[in-house]
Every structure is written in C-alpha cells, then in structure tokens.
Amino acid sequence: MSDKQTTGRLGRISATGRRAAQSQDWATVSACAGEILKRDGNSAEGYFLSGLVEKASQRPVKAAEAFAKALELDARRYDVAIELADQHSTGRRNAQAAALLAKYEGKLGNSPRYLDMAATVYTQIGMAERAWPLYQKANELQPGVAVFQANLAACGVYLGKIEDAKAAYKALLARVPSHQRNHYYLARLEQARDGTHVEQMKAVLESTKLPPDKNIFIYYAIGKELEDLGQWEEAFRYYQMAGDAVTSVANYDVAADIELIDKIIAVCDADWLAAGPGRTPTEVAGKTPIFIVGLPRTGTTLTDRILASHTQVESIGETFFMQTALCNVSGVEGADRMNPIVIEAAAHKDIGLIANGYLNAVNYRFGDKPRFIEKLPENFLYLGFIAKAWPDAGMVYLRRHPMDTCFAMYKQSFFKFAYTLDNVGRYYVAHDRLLKHWRKLLGDRLIEIDYESLVADQEGQTRALLAKLGLDFEPACLEFEKNATASATASSVQVREKIHARSVNRWRHFEKQLQPLRQMLESAGIVIK
C-alpha cells in the first residue's frame, strides 16, 4: 500500500474513532486507536484516541500518559494539549495545567468544545478570570449550547457578574423548566421578593415526581427562597428534606471525621511542635502565607476579601494542597485522602518537605505581592503543621455563634458532616475541642476573629487584624466589595455586597426546629446565648 493510501486508510479509521467518541462508543474508539497504532506506532492521533478511552474509563494516570505521548509526537495538537491540561487538573498538577493552557489558549479560536474545556480547567485551578473570555468565545461560536451557557453563568458568579449569570440561568430555564440545578443556581443569586419562583419549583416536583434523592438541589433552592420570604417552618421542612435525601444515598460516618480530629490532638502536641526531624530549606522564597481557617460559613470568605484588598496581599483562594502535601510526604501508600494514619506518618517527616510540597503546588498562582492568603476553612485541621512549617505564617481563625454556624452549614449542599442535625452537632463539638487545643498550643500566634464583632465594627476589627498580621491599615480593606477578583465559594454572591449583619442570630427563626442541636451543644459545655 502506498503512503497516500496508508494515510487515507488511517484518516478513515480516525474519523470512525471520532464519531464513536461522540456517541460514547468506547469499544469502537479503543479498536480504532489500536488499529492506528498497529499501522503507525508514532501516530499522535492513535495516542489521542487511546487517551480519550482511558479518560472515559476513569484512569487518569494512563489518560495523561497517552495525551502526553501524543503531544510529544505532534506539538501542534491543541486538542491534545487541552485534554492533557484537563488530566493535570484532575491529578491536582495545577501548575502544569496552567502552563499548557497559557501556551495553547490562543490557538483555540475555531473550537467551541476546546475553548469551553480550557475555560473549565482554568476555573478548576482557580483562575476564573482567565476562563471568562474563553467561555464567551465558545458561546459566540456556537450559541445555544446549554452546557456552554451554564459554564459561562457559573464563571460569571465567581467573577461577580451576577446580572449576566441571572440572565443566563433564566434563559436556560425558559428552555428546560425542569432543570433542577439551574433552579438552585438561580435561587442563590438574589433574595426572593415573592413566591413566583417557589411555585415554579414546586410545580417541577409535582410534574416530575422523582424520588427524594433526585430532588436534592431543588429542595435546597425552595428552602432558601422560603427563608428569604420569612416562611420559616416550611423553609426548614425543605432543608430537612434535602439533608435527609443526601443522607439516604451518602456513604458517610461522622465518627471517622471525629477520629481524625482526635488523632490530630494526640499527635500535634507541644513536644512535637518544638522538636522533630531536620528541616529542608524552603524552595519558594519571598512569600509569607496567611491561612484563613474555621468552620465553613463563619466569615472566612469575608475576611479573605478584606485582607486581599490590601496592596501587600493576594489571595490564591481555596486549594486542597496542604492536605495533598501531607498525604504525599506521609509515604502512606494510596494516601489520596486524609485519615489518622496519614497524620501519624506525616508528623514524623521533615516539615520542610511538607512546606515545599505545598508552595511548589501553589506557586503558579503567585503574583508579585509578598503575602498570600490560602482560604480553605478545613485547614483548621492542619494548624499544627502550618505553625511548624512556617514560623512567620499568619493563622486567622474565624468564629461565629455556634447555632448560626451549624444551621448555616446544615442548609447548604456542600458539607458532608452537616446533612443531619445530629452529625453537625457532633462535628461541632469535636471542632470545638480541637480549637481549644490549638489555643493552648499556639498561643498568640492564633489570631481569632468573631464574625459578629467583625460585622458590628468593621473598621475596628479590620485595623486590629491588620496590626496583628504586621500590615499597615489601608482604606481599601473597608471597601472589599469593590475587589473584582474571583471568588468560587458558597459566599461568592454575598461578598459583592457591603458588610451587613443580616445573618447574625438567623438561627432564632428556627429555634424550635433546632432545639435538639442546642441541647447537644449545651450538654457538651458549649454556651448558647
């Protein structure tokens, strides 16, 4: 067979494989990839199709290897580059993903699919501002594609483009009125002024008649809007329906998370903090971290926005790289999530390796400011490691009224330990025990902020916080709502407003329903005023 005939044959096999990929016929895609590589072992297309098969089979390591080989064979392939960036993001190799995106995003102008994928990867690695123009271009090239519109809307929320996001969700719901997640996302964007949207969502429940575990997001959305309207009892009923629905399908035991907290208290003691193995020098110089921590919904995002409005501070948002660094350094085989074994092992490792593992992972986000914020609430678990790794780190711990804290988590869809009042109460008690441990261990290094005090005296509390962090006061910190950087948290809408006290003592509207939670907390010695 001539070279021309071979090329034509391979082209036809490739076309068959791509059509099969569109219809998710992965057996055919795999067969086509194998046939191509059998005929040409250096075919970028063969490795590309193999990568798609591995990706669909949820084998990210093999998918990344296949895409990397394809890109090595043909560096012009932007589709391969974006697929590889996606796999890097999945494996939390964010710096590598960011480098690929920066190199190839300018070559995506005629591909709505890969513009959208590149934008999604940018969003996943915390760079929503780079995602927005790519999402816009994808929608311009191929208007009316629901997933492109929804991705654009979600990115708009992160960037504070709330009106754009509302318009997009309303347009999507006009086309598919029963799309529950779009109802949920729309409900989060504004205060309900009347019951119109509530009735629309109830009509969806009535018309679809799905089992409870398929209605989780719309239950939360209805509860939220009923709460906006002051219909407290019915709002709580929908929140409870949502939490119960999640619990019915979740494989979760709060005892495991409490065991982790107890292990941290046992391992991270004063002798451990003062001693330990030698320290590898820090590889990323000139950067001092500020870790903002606390239970979710306690004002961590608000505090992040206040501090990130300072000229000497930048925020890298929420990453899981502190946990990842601990898991990697621990040496525990298959440690892809935190557990007591990882804590025990990591505590005996060179703390400098943990610091470098974290800093090298987040380095791609750094600008030219000397201080940076990591704002992941659950890093409150790792304050001992943080204190040991960075003697000069700022550690800001947000507190809020226990009942407001627990209820705010209970009525959100994000927190695995908060879907039942019993679980959230037990977790709060364990968290309170850990906070007391950190106070004793860290002393004045732990900067505690009361959410209620912050919203009541913004300037006074801001000045005090800046002073404790060794930063001069800047008036911009009082106008955090003007900060245009992205926020991809549960509070992404609220931080676009001026500071307010509407959420203080919100739990009082649900005092009767929350009585079992109150009794649990009070029986553990937690004072409820």
Side-chain angles (χ1 to χ4, degrees), residues 229-305:
L229 299 171
Q231 298 179 31
W232 315 118
E233 290 194 12
E234 191 179 7
F236 188 88
R237 183 164 64 86
Y238 275 94
Y239 289 143
Q240 188 171 34
M241 290 165 62
D244 289 349
V246 178
T247 302
S248 72
V249 294
N251 181 22
Y252 173 71
D253 183 358
V254 72
D257 280 331
I258 294 173
E259 181 186 6
L260 175 63
I261 288 175
D262 289 337
K263 172 58 73 172
I264 291 168
I265 292 172
V267 168
C268 300
D269 59 13
D271 290 339
W272 169 82
L273 185 62
R279 181 189 179 95
T280 298
T282 301
E283 296 171 1
V284 180
K287 294 293 181 180
T288 303
I290 301 170
F291 286 86
I292 298 178
V293 304
L295 284 175
R297 312 302 290 153
T298 55
T300 55
T301 301
L302 171 61
T303 306
D304 171 75
R305 304 299 281 191

Side-chain angles (χ1 to χ4, degrees), residues 186-199:
L186 179 62
R188 292 180 60 201
L189 296 184
E190 59 185 350
Q191 292 285 109
R193 295 177 176 83
D194 58 48
T196 302
H197 190 209
V198 170
E199 293 308 314

Side-chain angles (χ1 to χ4, degrees), residues 58-71:
Q58 297 185 337
R59 293 189 287 261
V61 173
K62 292 193 173 189
E65 289 173 352
F67 291 134
K69 181 64 175 179
L71 196 60

Side-chain angles (χ1 to χ4, degrees), residues 220 239 243 247 252 254 405-412 414-425 427:
Y220 278 119
Y239 289 143
T247 302
Y252 173 71
V254 72
T405 298
C406 290
F407 182 55
M409 292 189 291
Y410 177 73
K411 63 184 182 178
Q412 293 286 342
F414 307 116
F415 313 115
K416 61 183 180 179
F417 53 79
Y419 293 124
T420 70
L421 294 182
D422 182 71
N423 278 356
V424 75
Y427 192 85

Side-chain angles (χ1 to χ4, degrees), residues 62 65 139 141 175 250 287 381 485:
K62 292 193 173 189
E65 289 173 352
N139 279 274
L141 289 172
R175 289 162 52 191
K287 294 293 181 180
L381 295 167
T485 56

Side-chain angles (χ1 to χ4, degrees), residues 279-463:
R279 181 189 179 95
T280 298
T282 301
E283 296 171 1
V284 180
K287 294 293 181 180
T288 303
I290 301 170
F291 286 86
I292 298 178
V293 304
L295 284 175
R297 312 302 290 153
T298 55
T300 55
T301 301
L302 171 61
T303 306
D304 171 75
R305 304 299 281 191
I306 289 170
L307 290 178
S309 299
H310 196 282
T311 57
Q312 299 300 301
V313 183
E314 62 192 356
S315 176
I316 64 171
E318 296 183 352
T319 84
F320 289 89
F321 285 121
M322 190 65 211
Q323 176 178 310
T324 300
L326 288 167
C327 288
N328 289 344
V329 171
S330 73
V332 176
E333 188 173 350
D336 58 352
R337 57 190 302 176
M338 188 53 63
N339 60 59
I341 298 173
V342 170
I343 290 293
E344 182 75 49
H348 295 92
K349 300 296 183 179
D350 182 338
I351 196 67
L353 297 177
I354 295 171
N356 284 328
Y358 171 80
L359 289 172
N360 289 332
V362 300
N363 192 21
Y364 76 100
R365 294 295 310 279
F366 291 156
D368 57 0
K369 298 181 180 181
R371 310 286 290 273
F372 74 92
I373 300 168
E374 162 72 72
K375 188 217 81 73
L376 183 69
E378 69 184 60
N379 278 333
F380 77 83
L381 295 167
Y382 314 124
L383 285 177
F385 291 96
I386 290 167
K388 193 167 183 174
W390 295 281
D392 55 351
M395 293 177 287
V396 182
Y397 205 116
L398 269 293
R399 300 187 314 241
R400 186 180 177 187
H401 189 288
M403 295 295 288
D404 270 333
T405 298
C406 290
F407 182 55
M409 292 189 291
Y410 177 73
K411 63 184 182 178
Q412 293 286 342
S413 63
F414 307 116
F415 313 115
K416 61 183 180 179
F417 53 79
Y419 293 124
T420 70
L421 294 182
D422 182 71
N423 278 356
V424 75
R426 291 173 64 190
Y427 192 85
Y428 188 92
V429 170
H431 141 270
D432 188 65
R433 188 163 64 249
L434 180 58
L435 174 55
K436 290 172 181 174
H437 174 73
W438 292 142
R439 285 172 179 159
K440 183 178 179 181
L441 183 69
L442 303 176
D444 292 341
R445 287 196 62 188
L446 187 65
I447 303 170
E448 295 188 61
I449 302 290
D450 284 316
Y451 172 76
E452 291 81 5
S453 299
L454 181 58
V455 299
D457 179 18
Q458 179 189 3
E459 181 170 347
Q461 291 292 314
T462 298
R463 285 181 178 273

